[in-house]
Amino acid sequence: MNQIKTLAFDMDEVITDTLSKTITLYNQLFQKNITKQDLVGKRLSDTLTKEQAELLHREVDKEGFFRDLAIKEKDTKAILEELNKKYKVFICTAAMEVPNSLKDKYLWLKEELPFLNDQNFVFCGDKSILATDYLVDDSLYQLEGFKGQGILFTAPHNQLREDHSFVRLNNWNEVAEYFL
């Protein structure tokens, strides 16, 4: 009997476009006009002083910030729904970095991806504890400790990174091609 494969997907910058909302907040707080293109090869935090980083983190950690995130790409939901028919799909998010995001992310997932089993939502810090076959994530840090097959999802901060051996998928159509 073949056992069904398990797929874990990160939420921020894989399923949701958290960066766009964070950039909008950043631009409002600091009277800037940065874009995603300005962040190729670096994280937003690389552009901030310690005080600015603390202020931005406090704002992002406010209840409601993660409640209305935009979906990453127009086909993301449909592809996840198809994957869920073939694999056991988990959503794994490092929510411990932003404690107030837990409720928002849970409600967002229930509303936006109702076809997924909420028992497969994993809110954690270090994803090395995951025991899925695959992890699709934009963070090399999270992939490096993962024991299954890690897959790097392209985001501005990792776009220039070639110092890894992970399969790279650039968008959800490539996710569909790879897994379906």
Side-chain angles (χ1 to χ4, degrees):
M1 186 165 117
N2 288 343
Q3 187 164 347
I4 191 166
K5 294 277 187 186
T6 53
L7 303 179
F9 290 94
D10 178 37
M11 189 169 170
D12 300 307
E13 291 315 296
V14 175
I15 295 173
T16 62
D17 185 11
T18 311
L19 183 58
S20 287
K21 186 168 183 181
T22 307
I23 286 173
T24 299
L25 177 60
Y26 170 95
N27 286 335
Q28 290 170 349
L29 287 173
F30 306 116
Q31 292 77 48
K32 302 283 185 185
N33 194 26
I34 68 160
T35 65
K36 283 185 182 182
Q37 191 59 38
D38 297 323
L39 296 175
V40 170
K42 58 186 166 192
R43 292 190 176 273
L44 187 57
S45 59
D46 297 338
T47 69
L48 300 170
T49 66
K50 182 181 179 199
E51 294 77 20
Q52 288 174 325
E54 289 170 358
L55 174 59
L56 183 62
H57 187 269
R58 279 195 306 273
E59 292 298 314
V60 168
D61 193 31
K62 285 185 177 175
E63 190 172 328
F65 182 85
F66 290 87
R67 188 65 184 93
D68 62 352
L69 295 173
I71 198 88
K72 187 73 174 168
E73 298 169 20
K74 70 177 181 70
D75 295 330
T76 303
K77 283 185 198 181
I79 292 168
L80 275 168
E81 193 162 13
E82 285 305 306
L83 288 168
N84 195 49
K85 294 173 185 172
K86 185 176 178 182
Y87 300 91
K88 188 171 185 179
V89 173
F90 291 84
I91 307 302
C92 303
T93 183
M96 301 309 134
E97 297 167 2
V98 186
N100 280 325
S101 71
L102 291 165
K103 181 179 176 185
D104 288 345
K105 286 183 173 188
Y106 176 77
L107 293 172
W108 188 96
L109 288 165
K110 289 286 290 177
E111 182 178 299
E112 296 294 329
L113 306 174
F115 51 86
L116 294 178
N117 182 343
D118 65 354
Q119 295 298 303
N120 294 359
F121 300 162
V122 181
F123 299 92
C124 61
D126 182 349
K127 295 179 187 174
S128 68
I129 58 103
L130 299 175
T132 55
D133 295 303
Y134 299 90
L135 170 61
V136 179
D137 204 303
D138 66 300
S139 171
L140 283 168
Y141 162 77
Q142 294 291 5
L143 295 174
E144 287 165 353
F146 179 64
K147 293 165 189 67
Q149 182 176 344
I151 297 175
L152 182 65
F153 194 89
T154 298
H157 70 89
N158 71 36
Q159 196 169 329
L160 303 177
R161 298 285 304 265
E162 298 297 333
D163 58 334
H164 62 86
S165 59
F166 299 106
V167 169
R168 180 187 287 270
L169 298 177
N170 296 300
N171 55 55
W172 276 89
N173 286 329
E174 288 185 14
V175 169
E177 273 182 45
Y178 191 84
F179 289 109
L180 295 173

